[in-house]
Amino acid sequence: MSTTGATADPLAALGSLPGVADSVESVRKAVDRVYGHRIMRRRSNVITSEAALRGARGSAALSGADWALEEVRRRTDFSGDGEARALGAALRLTAESGQLLSIWRQSPLRVLARLHLVAAAGREGAVGRPRQAAETVDEPLIELPLPGAAEVSGRLDGLSELIVAGSAAPALVTAAVVHGELLALRPFVSHNGLIARAAERIVLIGSGLDPKSVCPAEVGHAELGRAAYLAALDGYVSGTPEGMAAWITHCAKAVELGARESTAVCEALQRGAA
């Protein structure tokens, strides 16, 4: 996303794209339904924990580790093959994200570096910093042209400036742009998809839209499918108003589906208590 232009608040300008306002309103209604559920008033910690597990599973699925939820719940060792390590990274990122909310608005680049350290735990080399010239990226599911290191640095700085400055844009719009920009840039040598989805979650929580983290967008992204995810990302990368709107509305649908998932968990708990 270009951070230059006639408007001082480019994120807010995206909120006026066709269909975006309707998506924002639809997300608010879906989130309100979860938070208004009677189970949330009594057992919100249980819903938060379950949403974290399901969100991590969904994010890992989009990175090629599509495991059954019960297998993720049962498993304790994620140090095996590539799929197991991806799931372990997703679970660590979910746990870490909640600890970084206070830092995000002051230093988003510091948070992103921390997320990469957490995701790539145990690896040596280019960990916890943006990639440099000639360094390759391990992100096989995203085949878009890879921006050079200088472009990555400039666009990360621009994204950071937007976040620190604040915006009148709805939280959904900001979260979608952060997510899309990190996927487009792939600023680290590995785990960029997991980090992009964790950053989206941080924005949704920190903005107050989903303060208890019970509407896991990762669940929705996985349910919509990898093909739809990549097609929507193509729209973001195009930079056209239509493409940007398509990406934002795709992210909105993902949040709605995450909210629906947690509503179903609430309903199941309520039936069990009846």
Side-chain angles (χ1 to χ4, degrees):
M1 175 189 176
S2 174
T3 59
T4 60
T7 176
D9 192 349
L11 294 177
L14 294 176
S16 63
L17 291 175
V20 170
D22 289 343
S23 293
V24 168
E25 182 60 25
S26 186
V27 165
R28 284 178 180 149
K29 289 178 179 177
V31 172
D32 286 347
R33 279 194 293 273
V34 181
Y35 278 85
H37 200 285
R38 61 184 296 185
I39 291 294
M40 274 295 294
R41 294 194 289 271
R42 293 182 295 163
R43 302 183 66 183
S44 65
N45 60 325
V46 175
I47 307 303
T48 295
S49 295
E50 188 65 17
L53 183 70
R54 295 180 184 220
R57 192 216 73 84
S59 189
L62 286 168
S63 288
D66 192 0
W67 288 19
L69 180 64
E70 291 311 312
E71 175 64 13
V72 180
R73 196 189 305 280
R74 180 192 66 80
R75 192 77 168 257
T76 57
D77 181 7
F78 294 96
S79 61
D81 60 15
E83 288 192 8
R85 291 195 298 273
L87 269 163
L91 289 164
R92 291 192 301 273
L93 286 172
T94 298
E96 185 74 11
S97 294
Q99 311 302 314
L100 299 172
L101 296 173
S102 62
I103 305 172
W104 175 256
R105 282 297 301 273
Q106 284 74 43
S107 184
L109 298 186
R110 180 180 163 195
V111 169
L112 293 174
R114 174 62 186 169
L115 290 176
H116 191 243
L117 278 170
V118 169
R123 292 194 178 189
E124 298 180 356
V127 176
R129 61 159 175 79
R131 57 185 169 84
Q132 298 174 358
E135 288 181 332
T136 59
V137 174
D138 180 13
E139 203 74 43
L141 299 176
I142 299 177
E143 299 179 350
L144 295 167
L146 192 66
E151 181 181 351
V152 167
S153 178
R155 286 173 62 175
L156 281 179
D157 285 345
L159 183 64
S160 177
E161 289 169 6
L162 287 177
I163 294 165
V164 172
S167 172
L172 172 70
V173 172
T174 302
V177 168
V178 168
H179 184 172
E181 191 72 353
L182 293 175
L183 284 180
L185 293 177
R186 282 146 290 159
F188 301 104
V189 296
S190 64
H191 300 92
N192 290 286
L194 294 175
I195 290 168
R197 292 183 287 275
E200 178 185 47
R201 167 86 356 238
I202 287 173
V203 175
L204 294 172
I205 299 168
S207 66
L209 177 63
D210 181 20
K212 294 183 182 294
S213 191
V214 295
C215 302
E218 304 94 329
V219 168
H221 286 302
E223 184 173 337
L224 290 167
R226 197 177 301 156
Y229 186 65
L230 295 177
L233 177 61
D234 283 344
Y236 179 86
V237 172
S238 75
T240 65
E242 296 80 9
M244 296 293 288
W247 171 250
I248 294 168
T249 56
H250 182 87
C251 290
K253 184 61 176 176
V255 177
E256 287 186 59
L257 290 171
R260 186 182 72 178
E261 184 91 351
S262 287
T263 300
V265 172
C266 288
E267 293 291 334
L269 288 173
Q270 184 168 276
R271 288 193 298 272

